mmCIF file of all heavy atoms in Angstrom:
data_model
loop_
_atom_site.group_PDB
_atom_site.id
_atom_site.type_symbol
_atom_site.label_atom_id
_atom_site.label_comp_id
_atom_site.label_asym_id
_atom_site.label_seq_id
_atom_site.Cartn_x
_atom_site.Cartn_y
_atom_site.Cartn_z
ATOM 1 N N GLU K 1 -46.146 -51.084 1.454
ATOM 2 C CA GLU K 1 -44.768 -50.862 2.015
ATOM 3 C C GLU K 1 -44.258 -49.472 1.561
ATOM 4 O O GLU K 1 -43.722 -48.760 2.330
ATOM 5 C CB GLU K 1 -43.777 -51.970 1.625
ATOM 6 C CG GLU K 1 -44.067 -53.315 2.243
ATOM 7 C CD GLU K 1 -43.654 -53.416 3.652
ATOM 8 O OE1 GLU K 1 -42.664 -52.677 4.040
ATOM 9 O OE2 GLU K 1 -44.243 -54.277 4.390
ATOM 10 N N THR K 2 -44.420 -49.215 0.373
ATOM 11 C CA THR K 2 -43.831 -47.938 -0.250
ATOM 12 C C THR K 2 -44.555 -46.754 0.354
ATOM 13 O O THR K 2 -43.960 -45.780 0.788
ATOM 14 C CB THR K 2 -43.934 -47.945 -1.739
ATOM 15 O OG1 THR K 2 -43.199 -48.983 -2.294
ATOM 16 C CG2 THR K 2 -43.467 -46.634 -2.317
ATOM 17 N N THR K 3 -45.845 -46.818 0.415
ATOM 18 C CA THR K 3 -46.676 -45.707 0.866
ATOM 19 C C THR K 3 -46.536 -45.457 2.387
ATOM 20 O O THR K 3 -46.353 -44.230 2.780
ATOM 21 C CB THR K 3 -48.166 -46.010 0.601
ATOM 22 O OG1 THR K 3 -48.314 -46.187 -0.799
ATOM 23 C CG2 THR K 3 -49.031 -44.808 1.022
ATOM 24 N N TYR K 4 -46.475 -46.477 3.199
ATOM 25 C CA TYR K 4 -46.450 -46.261 4.634
ATOM 26 C C TYR K 4 -45.219 -46.391 5.370
ATOM 27 O O TYR K 4 -45.117 -46.051 6.574
ATOM 28 C CB TYR K 4 -47.620 -47.149 5.222
ATOM 29 C CG TYR K 4 -48.972 -46.773 4.712
ATOM 30 C CD1 TYR K 4 -49.572 -47.494 3.752
ATOM 31 C CD2 TYR K 4 -49.621 -45.709 5.224
ATOM 32 C CE1 TYR K 4 -50.835 -47.191 3.245
ATOM 33 C CE2 TYR K 4 -50.848 -45.348 4.766
ATOM 34 C CZ TYR K 4 -51.448 -46.143 3.782
ATOM 35 O OH TYR K 4 -52.701 -45.754 3.241
ATOM 36 N N PHE K 5 -44.163 -46.852 4.685
ATOM 37 C CA PHE K 5 -42.899 -47.195 5.507
ATOM 38 C C PHE K 5 -41.673 -46.621 4.776
ATOM 39 O O PHE K 5 -40.615 -46.591 5.432
ATOM 40 C CB PHE K 5 -42.796 -48.680 5.711
ATOM 41 C CG PHE K 5 -43.799 -49.221 6.590
ATOM 42 C CD1 PHE K 5 -44.940 -49.842 6.084
ATOM 43 C CD2 PHE K 5 -43.731 -49.179 7.974
ATOM 44 C CE1 PHE K 5 -45.946 -50.380 6.900
ATOM 45 C CE2 PHE K 5 -44.640 -49.642 8.835
ATOM 46 C CZ PHE K 5 -45.756 -50.303 8.250
ATOM 47 N N LYS K 6 -41.721 -46.273 3.484
ATOM 48 C CA LYS K 6 -40.469 -45.861 2.812
ATOM 49 C C LYS K 6 -39.953 -44.630 3.260
ATOM 50 O O LYS K 6 -38.694 -44.457 3.430
ATOM 51 C CB LYS K 6 -40.680 -45.934 1.234
ATOM 52 C CG LYS K 6 -39.522 -45.755 0.447
ATOM 53 C CD LYS K 6 -39.703 -45.896 -1.000
ATOM 54 C CE LYS K 6 -38.390 -45.738 -1.772
ATOM 55 N NZ LYS K 6 -38.581 -45.843 -3.189
ATOM 56 N N LYS K 7 -40.774 -43.583 3.411
ATOM 57 C CA LYS K 7 -40.249 -42.262 3.683
ATOM 58 C C LYS K 7 -39.492 -42.205 5.089
ATOM 59 O O LYS K 7 -38.417 -41.601 5.087
ATOM 60 C CB LYS K 7 -41.421 -41.209 3.818
ATOM 61 C CG LYS K 7 -40.914 -39.762 4.032
ATOM 62 C CD LYS K 7 -41.944 -38.884 3.822
ATOM 63 C CE LYS K 7 -41.547 -37.390 4.084
ATOM 64 N NZ LYS K 7 -40.565 -36.837 2.982
ATOM 65 N N PHE K 8 -39.948 -42.895 6.035
ATOM 66 C CA PHE K 8 -39.240 -43.010 7.289
ATOM 67 C C PHE K 8 -39.178 -44.418 7.791
ATOM 68 O O PHE K 8 -40.085 -44.901 8.500
ATOM 69 C CB PHE K 8 -39.917 -42.111 8.356
ATOM 70 C CG PHE K 8 -40.021 -40.656 8.054
ATOM 71 C CD1 PHE K 8 -41.300 -40.026 7.797
ATOM 72 C CD2 PHE K 8 -38.897 -39.870 7.861
ATOM 73 C CE1 PHE K 8 -41.364 -38.660 7.540
ATOM 74 C CE2 PHE K 8 -38.969 -38.479 7.534
ATOM 75 C CZ PHE K 8 -40.225 -37.953 7.385
ATOM 76 N N PRO K 9 -38.137 -45.166 7.341
ATOM 77 C CA PRO K 9 -38.130 -46.629 7.741
ATOM 78 C C PRO K 9 -38.163 -46.815 9.227
ATOM 79 O O PRO K 9 -37.603 -46.093 10.008
ATOM 80 C CB PRO K 9 -36.779 -47.036 7.098
ATOM 81 C CG PRO K 9 -36.433 -46.051 6.055
ATOM 82 C CD PRO K 9 -37.062 -44.759 6.509
ATOM 83 N N GLY K 10 -39.003 -47.835 9.534
ATOM 84 C CA GLY K 10 -39.207 -48.183 11.024
ATOM 85 C C GLY K 10 -40.343 -47.456 11.630
ATOM 86 O O GLY K 10 -40.712 -47.736 12.748
ATOM 87 N N TYR K 11 -41.032 -46.556 10.916
ATOM 88 C CA TYR K 11 -42.181 -45.861 11.302
ATOM 89 C C TYR K 11 -43.385 -46.034 10.361
ATOM 90 O O TYR K 11 -43.127 -46.163 9.154
ATOM 91 C CB TYR K 11 -41.961 -44.394 11.475
ATOM 92 C CG TYR K 11 -40.954 -43.964 12.507
ATOM 93 C CD1 TYR K 11 -39.674 -43.690 12.111
ATOM 94 C CD2 TYR K 11 -41.423 -43.741 13.841
ATOM 95 C CE1 TYR K 11 -38.712 -43.338 13.070
ATOM 96 C CE2 TYR K 11 -40.396 -43.362 14.741
ATOM 97 C CZ TYR K 11 -39.142 -43.140 14.407
ATOM 98 O OH TYR K 11 -38.193 -42.658 15.325
ATOM 99 N N TYR K 12 -44.606 -46.061 10.848
ATOM 100 C CA TYR K 12 -45.743 -46.071 9.988
ATOM 101 C C TYR K 12 -46.168 -44.659 9.712
ATOM 102 O O TYR K 12 -46.509 -43.924 10.680
ATOM 103 C CB TYR K 12 -46.936 -46.815 10.816
ATOM 104 C CG TYR K 12 -48.252 -46.875 10.027
ATOM 105 C CD1 TYR K 12 -48.482 -47.877 9.139
ATOM 106 C CD2 TYR K 12 -49.236 -45.877 10.132
ATOM 107 C CE1 TYR K 12 -49.659 -47.990 8.496
ATOM 108 C CE2 TYR K 12 -50.334 -45.907 9.446
ATOM 109 C CZ TYR K 12 -50.641 -46.953 8.550
ATOM 110 O OH TYR K 12 -51.760 -47.044 7.909
ATOM 111 N N VAL K 13 -46.023 -44.200 8.543
ATOM 112 C CA VAL K 13 -46.292 -42.837 8.141
ATOM 113 C C VAL K 13 -47.768 -42.646 7.783
ATOM 114 O O VAL K 13 -48.261 -43.315 6.815
ATOM 115 C CB VAL K 13 -45.380 -42.384 6.929
ATOM 116 C CG1 VAL K 13 -45.609 -40.981 6.564
ATOM 117 C CG2 VAL K 13 -43.916 -42.637 7.268
ATOM 118 N N THR K 14 -48.407 -41.723 8.431
ATOM 119 C CA THR K 14 -49.809 -41.588 8.288
ATOM 120 C C THR K 14 -50.149 -40.730 7.034
ATOM 121 O O THR K 14 -51.298 -40.752 6.523
ATOM 122 C CB THR K 14 -50.465 -40.950 9.558
ATOM 123 O OG1 THR K 14 -49.952 -39.524 9.674
ATOM 124 C CG2 THR K 14 -50.275 -41.643 10.767
ATOM 125 N N GLY K 15 -49.273 -39.821 6.685
ATOM 126 C CA GLY K 15 -49.590 -38.900 5.611
ATOM 127 C C GLY K 15 -50.110 -37.523 6.111
ATOM 128 O O GLY K 15 -50.492 -36.697 5.361
ATOM 129 N N ASP K 16 -50.169 -37.439 7.445
ATOM 130 C CA ASP K 16 -50.772 -36.288 8.063
ATOM 131 C C ASP K 16 -49.692 -35.440 8.761
ATOM 132 O O ASP K 16 -48.687 -35.956 9.305
ATOM 133 C CB ASP K 16 -51.828 -36.532 9.152
ATOM 134 C CG ASP K 16 -53.022 -37.137 8.489
ATOM 135 O OD1 ASP K 16 -53.513 -36.631 7.515
ATOM 136 O OD2 ASP K 16 -53.551 -38.144 9.029
ATOM 137 N N GLY K 17 -49.830 -34.138 8.726
ATOM 138 C CA GLY K 17 -48.979 -33.284 9.596
ATOM 139 C C GLY K 17 -49.615 -33.199 10.952
ATOM 140 O O GLY K 17 -50.765 -33.466 11.145
ATOM 141 N N CYS K 18 -48.790 -32.819 11.941
ATOM 142 C CA CYS K 18 -49.301 -32.875 13.307
ATOM 143 C C CYS K 18 -48.552 -31.847 14.135
ATOM 144 O O CYS K 18 -47.330 -31.600 13.860
ATOM 145 C CB CYS K 18 -49.072 -34.206 13.911
ATOM 146 S SG CYS K 18 -49.690 -34.475 15.579
ATOM 147 N N ARG K 19 -49.236 -31.266 15.161
ATOM 148 C CA ARG K 19 -48.592 -30.384 16.117
ATOM 149 C C ARG K 19 -48.834 -30.936 17.483
ATOM 150 O O ARG K 19 -49.959 -31.417 17.785
ATOM 151 C CB ARG K 19 -49.178 -28.998 15.896
ATOM 152 C CG ARG K 19 -48.675 -27.983 16.890
ATOM 153 C CD ARG K 19 -49.259 -26.612 16.606
ATOM 154 N NE ARG K 19 -50.697 -26.529 16.555
ATOM 155 C CZ ARG K 19 -51.427 -26.276 17.646
ATOM 156 N NH1 ARG K 19 -50.846 -26.077 18.827
ATOM 157 N NH2 ARG K 19 -52.681 -26.179 17.539
ATOM 158 N N ARG K 20 -47.867 -30.884 18.308
ATOM 159 C CA ARG K 20 -48.091 -31.355 19.695
ATOM 160 C C ARG K 20 -47.763 -30.054 20.529
ATOM 161 O O ARG K 20 -46.827 -29.346 20.365
ATOM 162 C CB ARG K 20 -47.033 -32.393 20.129
ATOM 163 C CG ARG K 20 -47.290 -32.923 21.518
ATOM 164 C CD ARG K 20 -46.333 -34.053 21.936
ATOM 165 N NE ARG K 20 -44.993 -33.877 21.451
ATOM 166 C CZ ARG K 20 -44.259 -34.738 20.617
ATOM 167 N NH1 ARG K 20 -44.832 -35.823 20.233
ATOM 168 N NH2 ARG K 20 -43.027 -34.415 20.262
ATOM 169 N N ASP K 21 -48.787 -29.755 21.376
ATOM 170 C CA ASP K 21 -48.732 -28.528 22.187
ATOM 171 C C ASP K 21 -47.975 -28.779 23.556
ATOM 172 O O ASP K 21 -47.561 -29.872 23.803
ATOM 173 C CB ASP K 21 -50.097 -27.886 22.423
ATOM 174 C CG ASP K 21 -51.025 -28.685 23.261
ATOM 175 O OD1 ASP K 21 -50.645 -29.552 24.050
ATOM 176 O OD2 ASP K 21 -52.261 -28.416 23.168
ATOM 177 N N LYS K 22 -47.814 -27.717 24.340
ATOM 178 C CA LYS K 22 -47.090 -27.825 25.632
ATOM 179 C C LYS K 22 -47.746 -28.762 26.606
ATOM 180 O O LYS K 22 -47.059 -29.284 27.515
ATOM 181 C CB LYS K 22 -46.927 -26.470 26.225
ATOM 182 C CG LYS K 22 -48.273 -25.826 26.681
ATOM 183 C CD LYS K 22 -48.024 -24.401 27.263
ATOM 184 C CE LYS K 22 -49.210 -23.712 27.568
ATOM 185 N NZ LYS K 22 -50.201 -24.346 28.432
ATOM 186 N N ASP K 23 -49.028 -29.193 26.446
ATOM 187 C CA ASP K 23 -49.687 -30.033 27.342
ATOM 188 C C ASP K 23 -49.671 -31.505 26.867
ATOM 189 O O ASP K 23 -50.258 -32.398 27.451
ATOM 190 C CB ASP K 23 -51.180 -29.533 27.582
ATOM 191 C CG ASP K 23 -51.267 -28.183 28.163
ATOM 192 O OD1 ASP K 23 -50.512 -27.961 29.133
ATOM 193 O OD2 ASP K 23 -52.128 -27.383 27.675
ATOM 194 N N GLY K 24 -49.058 -31.694 25.656
ATOM 195 C CA GLY K 24 -48.986 -33.061 25.098
ATOM 196 C C GLY K 24 -50.111 -33.418 24.251
ATOM 197 O O GLY K 24 -50.136 -34.546 23.789
ATOM 198 N N TYR K 25 -51.018 -32.549 23.921
ATOM 199 C CA TYR K 25 -52.082 -32.801 23.031
ATOM 200 C C TYR K 25 -51.640 -32.861 21.599
ATOM 201 O O TYR K 25 -50.813 -31.981 21.229
ATOM 202 C CB TYR K 25 -53.233 -31.819 23.104
ATOM 203 C CG TYR K 25 -54.049 -31.918 24.340
ATOM 204 C CD1 TYR K 25 -53.780 -31.238 25.556
ATOM 205 C CD2 TYR K 25 -55.199 -32.733 24.414
ATOM 206 C CE1 TYR K 25 -54.523 -31.381 26.707
ATOM 207 C CE2 TYR K 25 -55.972 -32.899 25.505
ATOM 208 C CZ TYR K 25 -55.651 -32.232 26.698
ATOM 209 O OH TYR K 25 -56.366 -32.295 27.771
ATOM 210 N N TYR K 26 -52.102 -33.793 20.773
ATOM 211 C CA TYR K 26 -51.760 -33.857 19.424
ATOM 212 C C TYR K 26 -52.850 -33.245 18.621
ATOM 213 O O TYR K 26 -54.014 -33.499 18.741
ATOM 214 C CB TYR K 26 -51.614 -35.360 18.989
ATOM 215 C CG TYR K 26 -50.410 -35.985 19.480
ATOM 216 C CD1 TYR K 26 -50.282 -36.475 20.764
ATOM 217 C CD2 TYR K 26 -49.286 -36.105 18.678
ATOM 218 C CE1 TYR K 26 -49.171 -37.075 21.234
ATOM 219 C CE2 TYR K 26 -48.117 -36.661 19.146
ATOM 220 C CZ TYR K 26 -48.065 -37.213 20.466
ATOM 221 O OH TYR K 26 -46.888 -37.762 20.905
ATOM 222 N N TRP K 27 -52.439 -32.397 17.603
ATOM 223 C CA TRP K 27 -53.392 -31.668 16.756
ATOM 224 C C TRP K 27 -53.026 -32.091 15.293
ATOM 225 O O TRP K 27 -51.991 -31.769 14.850
ATOM 226 C CB TRP K 27 -53.248 -30.144 16.884
ATOM 227 C CG TRP K 27 -53.484 -29.625 18.284
ATOM 228 C CD1 TRP K 27 -52.619 -29.785 19.382
ATOM 229 C CD2 TRP K 27 -54.671 -28.901 18.707
ATOM 230 N NE1 TRP K 27 -53.198 -29.186 20.507
ATOM 231 C CE2 TRP K 27 -54.424 -28.633 20.118
ATOM 232 C CE3 TRP K 27 -55.786 -28.484 18.074
ATOM 233 C CZ2 TRP K 27 -55.411 -27.939 20.809
ATOM 234 C CZ3 TRP K 27 -56.705 -27.784 18.808
ATOM 235 C CH2 TRP K 27 -56.525 -27.479 20.243
ATOM 236 N N ILE K 28 -53.981 -32.677 14.633
ATOM 237 C CA ILE K 28 -53.810 -33.101 13.222
ATOM 238 C C ILE K 28 -53.927 -31.726 12.405
ATOM 239 O O ILE K 28 -54.959 -31.058 12.463
ATOM 240 C CB ILE K 28 -54.790 -34.132 12.778
ATOM 241 C CG1 ILE K 28 -54.821 -35.272 13.693
ATOM 242 C CG2 ILE K 28 -54.536 -34.499 11.267
ATOM 243 C CD1 ILE K 28 -53.492 -35.979 13.839
ATOM 244 N N THR K 29 -52.876 -31.385 11.592
ATOM 245 C CA THR K 29 -52.983 -30.184 10.835
ATOM 246 C C THR K 29 -53.325 -30.406 9.384
ATOM 247 O O THR K 29 -53.435 -29.387 8.649
ATOM 248 C CB THR K 29 -51.585 -29.461 10.897
ATOM 249 O OG1 THR K 29 -50.543 -30.380 10.397
ATOM 250 C CG2 THR K 29 -51.217 -29.081 12.330
ATOM 251 N N GLY K 30 -53.496 -31.638 8.936
ATOM 252 C CA GLY K 30 -53.944 -31.859 7.527
ATOM 253 C C GLY K 30 -52.928 -32.769 6.780
ATOM 254 O O GLY K 30 -51.914 -33.104 7.353
ATOM 255 N N ARG K 31 -53.421 -33.076 5.588
ATOM 256 C CA ARG K 31 -52.587 -33.973 4.753
ATOM 257 C C ARG K 31 -51.236 -33.326 4.346
ATOM 258 O O ARG K 31 -51.346 -32.191 3.859
ATOM 259 C CB ARG K 31 -53.391 -34.370 3.514
ATOM 260 C CG ARG K 31 -54.638 -35.048 3.757
ATOM 261 C CD ARG K 31 -54.501 -36.437 4.376
ATOM 262 N NE ARG K 31 -53.764 -37.303 3.470
ATOM 263 C CZ ARG K 31 -53.059 -38.333 3.848
ATOM 264 N NH1 ARG K 31 -53.176 -38.839 5.107
ATOM 265 N NH2 ARG K 31 -52.394 -39.091 3.020
ATOM 266 N N ILE K 32 -50.187 -34.040 4.501
ATOM 267 C CA ILE K 32 -48.867 -33.483 4.088
ATOM 268 C C ILE K 32 -48.747 -33.428 2.497
ATOM 269 O O ILE K 32 -47.926 -32.653 2.037
ATOM 270 C CB ILE K 32 -47.689 -34.248 4.703
ATOM 271 C CG1 ILE K 32 -47.711 -35.740 4.329
ATOM 272 C CG2 ILE K 32 -47.654 -34.002 6.138
ATOM 273 C CD1 ILE K 32 -46.613 -36.457 4.865
ATOM 274 N N ASP K 33 -49.570 -34.246 1.862
ATOM 275 C CA ASP K 33 -49.494 -34.194 0.335
ATOM 276 C C ASP K 33 -50.436 -33.168 -0.206
ATOM 277 O O ASP K 33 -50.592 -33.025 -1.418
ATOM 278 C CB ASP K 33 -49.690 -35.608 -0.152
ATOM 279 C CG ASP K 33 -51.021 -36.240 0.277
ATOM 280 O OD1 ASP K 33 -51.781 -35.628 1.025
ATOM 281 O OD2 ASP K 33 -51.331 -37.290 -0.198
ATOM 282 N N ASP K 34 -51.210 -32.521 0.590
ATOM 283 C CA ASP K 34 -52.160 -31.512 0.119
ATOM 284 C C ASP K 34 -51.505 -30.148 0.103
ATOM 285 O O ASP K 34 -51.880 -29.313 0.918
ATOM 286 C CB ASP K 34 -53.459 -31.504 0.933
ATOM 287 C CG ASP K 34 -54.649 -31.019 0.222
ATOM 288 O OD1 ASP K 34 -54.567 -30.724 -0.941
ATOM 289 O OD2 ASP K 34 -55.696 -30.858 0.901
ATOM 290 N N MET K 35 -50.602 -29.981 -0.825
ATOM 291 C CA MET K 35 -49.767 -28.714 -0.846
ATOM 292 C C MET K 35 -49.949 -27.994 -2.172
ATOM 293 O O MET K 35 -50.286 -28.619 -3.151
ATOM 294 C CB MET K 35 -48.308 -29.084 -0.715
ATOM 295 C CG MET K 35 -47.998 -29.904 0.536
ATOM 296 S SD MET K 35 -48.180 -28.971 2.046
ATOM 297 C CE MET K 35 -46.754 -27.961 2.060
ATOM 298 N N LEU K 36 -49.800 -26.679 -2.120
ATOM 299 C CA LEU K 36 -49.865 -25.873 -3.362
ATOM 300 C C LEU K 36 -48.570 -25.188 -3.610
ATOM 301 O O LEU K 36 -47.848 -24.786 -2.604
ATOM 302 C CB LEU K 36 -50.973 -24.794 -3.149
ATOM 303 C CG LEU K 36 -52.333 -25.273 -2.837
ATOM 304 C CD1 LEU K 36 -53.230 -24.081 -2.299
ATOM 305 C CD2 LEU K 36 -53.035 -25.933 -4.042
ATOM 306 N N ASN K 37 -48.138 -24.989 -4.824
ATOM 307 C CA ASN K 37 -46.988 -24.273 -5.146
ATOM 308 C C ASN K 37 -47.430 -22.968 -5.782
ATOM 309 O O ASN K 37 -47.750 -22.911 -6.971
ATOM 310 C CB ASN K 37 -46.147 -25.046 -6.122
ATOM 311 C CG ASN K 37 -44.710 -24.506 -6.236
ATOM 312 O OD1 ASN K 37 -44.485 -23.341 -5.934
ATOM 313 N ND2 ASN K 37 -43.799 -25.307 -6.762
ATOM 314 N N VAL K 38 -47.365 -21.921 -5.031
ATOM 315 C CA VAL K 38 -47.735 -20.521 -5.507
ATOM 316 C C VAL K 38 -46.556 -19.686 -5.585
ATOM 317 O O VAL K 38 -45.852 -19.309 -4.584
ATOM 318 C CB VAL K 38 -48.817 -19.903 -4.497
ATOM 319 C CG1 VAL K 38 -49.185 -18.546 -5.037
ATOM 320 C CG2 VAL K 38 -50.033 -20.776 -4.369
ATOM 321 N N SER K 39 -46.118 -19.413 -6.771
ATOM 322 C CA SER K 39 -44.991 -18.477 -7.060
ATOM 323 C C SER K 39 -43.751 -19.051 -6.365
ATOM 324 O O SER K 39 -42.957 -18.264 -5.782
ATOM 325 C CB SER K 39 -45.255 -17.026 -6.637
ATOM 326 O OG SER K 39 -46.275 -16.470 -7.368
ATOM 327 N N GLY K 40 -43.568 -20.270 -6.380
ATOM 328 C CA GLY K 40 -42.373 -20.924 -5.735
ATOM 329 C C GLY K 40 -42.512 -21.106 -4.219
ATOM 330 O O GLY K 40 -41.567 -21.580 -3.613
ATOM 331 N N HIS K 41 -43.642 -20.789 -3.713
ATOM 332 C CA HIS K 41 -43.842 -20.972 -2.193
ATOM 333 C C HIS K 41 -44.789 -22.157 -1.963
ATOM 334 O O HIS K 41 -45.791 -22.236 -2.578
ATOM 335 C CB HIS K 41 -44.494 -19.727 -1.594
ATOM 336 C CG HIS K 41 -43.710 -18.521 -1.728
ATOM 337 N ND1 HIS K 41 -42.585 -18.306 -0.894
ATOM 338 C CD2 HIS K 41 -43.745 -17.483 -2.535
ATOM 339 C CE1 HIS K 41 -42.078 -17.144 -1.234
ATOM 340 N NE2 HIS K 41 -42.678 -16.603 -2.267
ATOM 341 N N LEU K 42 -44.303 -23.225 -1.243
ATOM 342 C CA LEU K 42 -45.042 -24.385 -0.933
ATOM 343 C C LEU K 42 -45.996 -24.072 0.246
ATOM 344 O O LEU K 42 -45.488 -23.811 1.351
ATOM 345 C CB LEU K 42 -44.133 -25.535 -0.621
ATOM 346 C CG LEU K 42 -44.653 -26.885 -0.776
ATOM 347 C CD1 LEU K 42 -45.154 -27.137 -2.197
ATOM 348 C CD2 LEU K 42 -43.601 -27.926 -0.444
ATOM 349 N N LEU K 43 -47.318 -24.134 -0.039
ATOM 350 C CA LEU K 43 -48.252 -23.851 0.966
ATOM 351 C C LEU K 43 -49.167 -25.028 1.260
ATOM 352 O O LEU K 43 -49.581 -25.737 0.302
ATOM 353 C CB LEU K 43 -49.202 -22.672 0.503
ATOM 354 C CG LEU K 43 -48.496 -21.372 0.147
ATOM 355 C CD1 LEU K 43 -49.485 -20.434 -0.385
ATOM 356 C CD2 LEU K 43 -47.866 -20.731 1.339
#
């Protein structure tokens, strides 16, 4: 429950970032928790 529903109640959160293009295609951009903090910049 905590992992998949707490961040956005009512939605199943995959843990992935995503981009939808003008044609409606979904592009998985990677894990949202796979981030680096370089000199205060979250990458």
Side-chain angles (χ1 to χ4, degrees):
E1 291 283 334
T2 301
T3 302
Y4 296 100
F5 295 97
K6 187 173 183 182
K7 183 167 180 71
F8 301 118
Y11 294 95
Y12 179 90
V13 180
T14 66
D16 291 316
C18 183
R19 178 174 58 88
R20 185 175 43 234
D21 67 20
K22 63 181 176 56
D23 298 317
Y25 285 92
Y26 287 81
W27 300 75
I28 307 301
T29 57
R31 299 293 301 162
I32 56 176
D33 57 357
D34 203 5
M35 304 293 279
L36 304 166
N37 191 344
V38 180
S39 296
H41 299 281
L42 201 57
L43 303 173

